[in-house]
Amino acid sequence: MGNNGWNIEVWRIALVIFMSILGGLISAQWLLSLLLCLVVYIAWLLYKLNQLHIWLSKGAKPALLPDSNGIWERVTQKIQLTHKKSDRRKDRMANLLKRLQDIIAGLPYATVVLNGNNEIDWANSLSQEYLNIDIKKDRGQRIDNLIRVPQVHQILAENANKEIEVSFPTDDFGLDKQIALQVIPVGGDLKLLIARDTSERNKINRMRKNFIANASHELRTPLTVIAGYLEIMQEDEEFPKQLQPALHASADQSIRMQRIIEDLLTLSRLENSDLNDTTSNIINVPSILERVYKDESTLIVNDSHKLVKNIDENLKIHGAEAEIISVCSNLVHNAIRHTQDGTMITIEWKLNANNEACLIIKDTGQGIPAEHIAHLTERFYRVDKGRSRETGGTGLGLAIVQHIVQRHNGKFDISSEIGKGSEFKVTFPVSRVYKD
Ligand code: ADP
């Protein structure tokens, strides 16, 4: 039977049998004697059971352990062992939770844990500073009652991992504080609301934009004067012959600088203003493309490039006309300037399978190495700086296109294969497509 506590119990049962036989021998009442011994044994068992029950109800503390041996001792030992294990597990979990809370509390973000009803479960200390949420008094409150900003209610309802930026008034100087907010669903019913202060970043961005806008503006007037004088000098027949190459080079460079400044000012305008967008602004893209096609065709000398059109004549969109003209002419102009002679360029304007309006300018040129593609929309990024300058490029055309497309809620994709050509695709969403 092994040393598992039962051997003592067997001895006890043997004692019960022995006592009942002894009682039977003395009294000749065998049944009564057996019954009496069994009653005593059962009463003793019930007493032990009661002791165990009392010990368990008092929290199974080792100090209150009932005095026992045999199987009872084994049972209490097992209970104590299980208790110890679960205590250790509880300690570990509490430690882990504490460490997680410390980590979240130390993040430079305000973090609020919400349940399925958008009620606050937990929040770190930055939540007080950024969102005015004090966990001590706001636990259990619905967050939409505390932050009364419709955009916040919307992202909470959508429960999608999306970031928005909202302005909150600060109490100190009445200045607005810009906060970027993001809802992160974390499985089950839980979600995290994360907020970070973007005021400083926005301020620096504003300063950068203002600086570029002001610098470009300040440079425009003196440059116009210089370019004007250079033009007059070029027309002057008495101008010394030996200085003429230098004069022409200066005039070309001043025109190039004027173009750069105009493009920088265009970019600043795009960055610093919202799209003046009314749904009644219907843009006849087919006629814009027709004009661009005609204008750009005149730039092609000696049939160096072939321009082909494939245009849905009925497809119009809502947007800003001057900006859409700029997108079309920039892309077609690039396809002519940045490809070798013999290149075929296709201008395509159509609805795609998702009913979005697509402008695709495709060429069969030399293509663009893959490592450059992601950078093409950065300001002043050129694959071939020499060629871009030679052809009068400013390095700002694709940055302008990207900005305009973004303002029209569209997508700008560039793909290219070396030796085969490049494709510049602008996709306008269904909401921008004009329906008669
Ligand atoms: P740029 O004034 O130099 O044309 P862009 O911003 O319009 O400036 O274009 C950036 C660079 O992208 C160009 O300098 C050129 O290297 C590359 N690029 C643009 N379009 C094409 C094209 N169709 N084929 C090959 N390279 C192109």
Side-chain angles (χ1 to χ4, degrees):
M1 212 165 282
N3 190 18
N4 57 6
W6 279 109
N7 43 2
I8 295 182
E9 220 49 43
V10 169
W11 277 111
R12 280 197 190 110
I13 291 166
L15 183 69
V16 169
I17 296 170
F18 174 75
M19 290 305 283
S20 51
I21 292 172
L22 196 68
L25 278 175
I26 296 168
S27 64
Q29 296 282 338
W30 292 96
L31 204 62
L32 194 69
S33 162
L34 180 65
L35 219 63
L36 213 66
C37 290
L38 280 176
V39 166
V40 171
Y41 182 57
I42 289 169
W44 181 81
L45 283 179
L46 285 175
Y47 166 73
K48 287 307 250 182
L49 204 60
N50 187 40
Q51 266 194 325
L52 187 68
H53 180 232
I54 292 169
W55 178 66
L56 279 175
S57 342
K58 286 186 177 165
K61 293 196 180 97
L64 302 174
L65 193 68
D67 195 17
S68 53
N69 55 19
I71 192 64
W72 296 99
E73 190 186 8
R74 289 304 157 113
V75 170
T76 49
Q77 272 174 358
K78 277 262 178 301
I79 291 172
Q80 266 189 307
L81 210 68
T82 326
H83 247 262
K84 262 190 209 148
K85 268 192 198 155
S86 97
D87 280 352
R88 272 204 299 268
R89 201 173 309 135
K90 255 194 247 161
D91 283 350
R92 267 208 310 272
M93 293 306 282
N95 247 329
L96 192 69
L97 200 68
K98 169 97 186 33
R99 264 173 33 211
L100 272 176
Q101 286 189 345
D102 286 349
I103 290 170
I104 298 176
L107 287 177
Y109 307 118
T111 310
V112 185
V113 182
L114 302 168
N115 67 17
N117 290 330
N118 291 335
E119 288 158 352
I120 299 170
D121 256 1
W122 185 84
N124 66 359
S125 55
L126 272 182
S127 310
Q128 166 95 58
E129 193 182 320
Y130 292 174
L131 303 169
N132 217 3
I133 290 172
D134 177 1
I135 188 61
K136 286 195 197 94
K137 67 177 204 306
D138 294 332
R139 192 189 297 273
Q141 294 251 38
R142 283 186 63 107
I143 190 137
D144 23 10
N145 289 337
L146 298 173
I147 305 177
R148 296 183 176 274
V149 180
Q151 294 136 286
V152 178
H153 296 185
Q154 199 184 335
I155 59 163
L156 283 168
E158 284 172 10
N159 199 16
N161 201 338
K162 185 168 126 190
E163 190 176 84
I164 55 160
E165 198 171 85
V166 287
S167 287
F168 285 103
T170 54
D171 347 292
D172 332 25
F173 306 107
L175 285 171
D176 271 3
K177 188 165 54 173
Q178 271 101 47
I179 302 285
L181 282 159
Q182 195 174 3
V183 172
I184 303 174
V186 280
D189 255 357
L190 286 187
K191 55 185 127 175
L192 292 180
L193 178 71
I194 301 219
R196 66 199 160 83
D197 192 346
T198 48
S199 315
E200 195 56 33
R201 191 191 66 187
N202 290 350
K203 196 172 118 195
I204 292 169
N205 247 338
R206 256 196 321 276
M207 276 163 59
R208 177 187 64 81
K209 285 181 197 167
N210 286 343
F211 172 76
I212 294 174
N214 292 337
S216 315
H217 208 80
E218 291 295 325
L219 286 172
R220 186 150 73 163
T221 318
L223 246 178
T224 314
V225 175
I226 294 170
Y229 278 124
L230 287 170
E231 207 182 316
I232 294 170
M233 283 193 232
Q234 272 181 311
E235 282 163 13
D236 182 359
E237 283 171 9
E238 283 169 26
F239 195 82
K241 276 250 171 330
Q242 72 276 21
L243 290 179
Q244 278 201 353
L247 178 64
H248 288 313
S250 308
D252 284 352
Q253 289 307 317
S254 72
I255 291 170
R256 208 170 84 79
M257 276 168 83
Q258 275 182 312
R259 252 192 246 127
I260 293 175
I261 283 175
E262 285 313 316
D263 276 359
L264 278 174
L265 283 169
T266 305
L267 263 175
S268 293
R269 263 196 304 276
L270 291 172
E271 274 188 337
N272 292 329
S273 67
D274 286 332
L275 181 61
N276 189 6
D277 201 14
T278 52
T279 41
S280 55
N281 252 354
I282 301 157
I283 313 298
N284 190 341
V285 181
S287 90
I288 291 176
L289 288 173
E290 190 59 46
R291 231 180 312 150
V292 169
Y293 175 83
K294 275 201 189 120
D295 291 349
E296 298 296 329
S297 296
T298 59
L299 298 178
I300 299 174
V301 270
N302 300 332
D303 288 332
S304 63
H305 291 72
K306 191 164 180 256
L307 267 185
V308 182
K309 291 180 293 178
N310 180 6
I311 293 167
D312 178 345
E313 295 296 338
N314 298 315
L315 182 53
K316 295 172 187 167
I317 58 167
H318 298 285
E321 185 164 32
E323 296 184 17
I324 302 297
I325 294 175
S326 172
V327 168
C328 298
S329 58
N330 254 310
L331 294 180
V332 178
H333 202 65
N334 271 355
I336 298 172
R337 280 190 305 130
H338 294 298
T339 54
Q340 73 279 35
D341 287 1
T343 297
M344 184 162 109
I345 299 157
T346 318
I347 306 170
E348 208 174 343
W349 175 240
K350 58 171 188 182
L351 272 186
N352 68 9
N354 298 326
N355 282 325
E356 296 158 324
C358 284
L359 171 70
I360 304 168
I361 311 294
K362 217 186 308 188
D363 65 62
T364 57
Q366 72 282 13
I368 306 162
E371 67 271 22
H372 295 292
I373 291 181
H375 302 287
L376 293 181
T377 54
E378 290 168 13
R379 284 155 207 230
F380 299 114
Y381 193 92
R382 294 127 161 158
V383 177
D384 183 343
K385 280 201 169 64
R387 188 184 177 111
S388 167
R389 287 201 186 111
E390 243 171 59
T391 54
T394 61
L396 295 167
L398 292 181
I400 291 175
V401 170
Q402 167 88 324
H403 263 279
I404 296 174
V405 174
Q406 263 171 8
R407 279 153 73 84
H408 284 77
N409 326 98
K411 252 182 15 202
F412 183 34
D413 298 300
I414 305 171
S415 56
S416 188
E417 214 178 310
I418 292 293
K420 293 215 166 139
S422 316
E423 184 181 294
F424 294 76
K425 183 161 92 176
V426 177
T427 311
F428 295 101
V430 182
S431 57
R432 289 234 161 245
V433 176
Y434 167 69
K435 293 179 192 77
D436 294 286

